[in-house]
Amino acid sequence: LVGEVGELAEIFQWKGEVDPGVPMFKEKEKIHLGEELSDVLLYLIRLADRCHIDLSSSVLRKLEKNARKYPADRARGRSDKYTAYSDDKKTMMDGTSGDYGTKKDSEGVDNGGKSAEQPAKASSNSG
């Protein structure tokens, strides 16, 4: 699967921003794109089957979850983390609670979402 996704990504690697419908692609490139998209889709379907995952139900649940996490009226055109759209920053949109959106250092101090700095490792070179 990873190899196929890599082949798909390679098609877009040097294209920059791609317009809907990929009008800058030649017909041969569009056919190749369709083939690589198909390869990725086939691998995903097979993986879901082997894992006994009902992909259709999973997709619907994920769309519903994202709709709660990213309300269209507040999230459209933005790329903020889902906690920016919640009235209660400590409660996820699915009702679970936790300390989402913040990371605390070893003393429990909020450091603005950054990981606590680790002490420098001692050099293994002697002398």
Side-chain angles (χ1 to χ4, degrees):
L1 175 62
V2 172
E4 294 299 340
V5 171
E7 289 178 17
L8 176 60
E10 189 177 303
I11 293 171
F12 294 97
Q13 187 172 7
W14 306 113
K15 297 287 188 184
E17 189 69 27
V18 177
D19 292 327
V22 290
M24 76 287 282
F25 281 35
K26 297 174 183 149
E27 189 60 29
K28 186 176 178 180
E29 290 176 303
K30 288 183 182 183
I31 291 169
H32 182 224
L33 173 59
E35 290 171 350
E36 296 305 332
L37 286 166
S38 297
D39 287 342
V40 171
L41 180 61
L42 291 169
Y43 269 93
L44 286 173
I45 291 169
R46 180 66 175 146
L47 180 60
D49 181 59
R50 296 290 296 160
C51 295
H52 303 278
I53 300 294
D54 179 349
L55 204 50
S56 297
S57 296
S58 294
V59 167
L60 291 174
R61 279 193 307 274
K62 183 64 174 174
L63 288 171
E64 290 168 358
K65 182 178 182 179
N66 284 349
R68 289 190 306 271
K69 285 172 65 173
Y70 302 97
D73 62 322
R74 292 189 279 171
R76 182 166 284 117
R78 297 176 57 187
S79 60
D80 300 320
K81 186 174 178 180
Y82 67 87
T83 54
Y85 309 111
S86 172
D87 294 330
D88 177 5
K89 302 286 189 231
K90 300 286 184 187
T91 303
M92 282 184 47
M93 294 294 188
D94 66 1
T96 59
S97 62
D99 194 20
Y100 301 100
T102 63
K103 289 185 179 178
K104 296 187 179 187
D105 65 17
S106 60
E107 296 175 1
V109 176
D110 181 359
N111 61 15
K114 297 177 185 155
S115 298
E117 288 193 31
Q118 300 296 319
K121 291 183 179 182
S123 174
S124 60
N125 297 338
S126 57

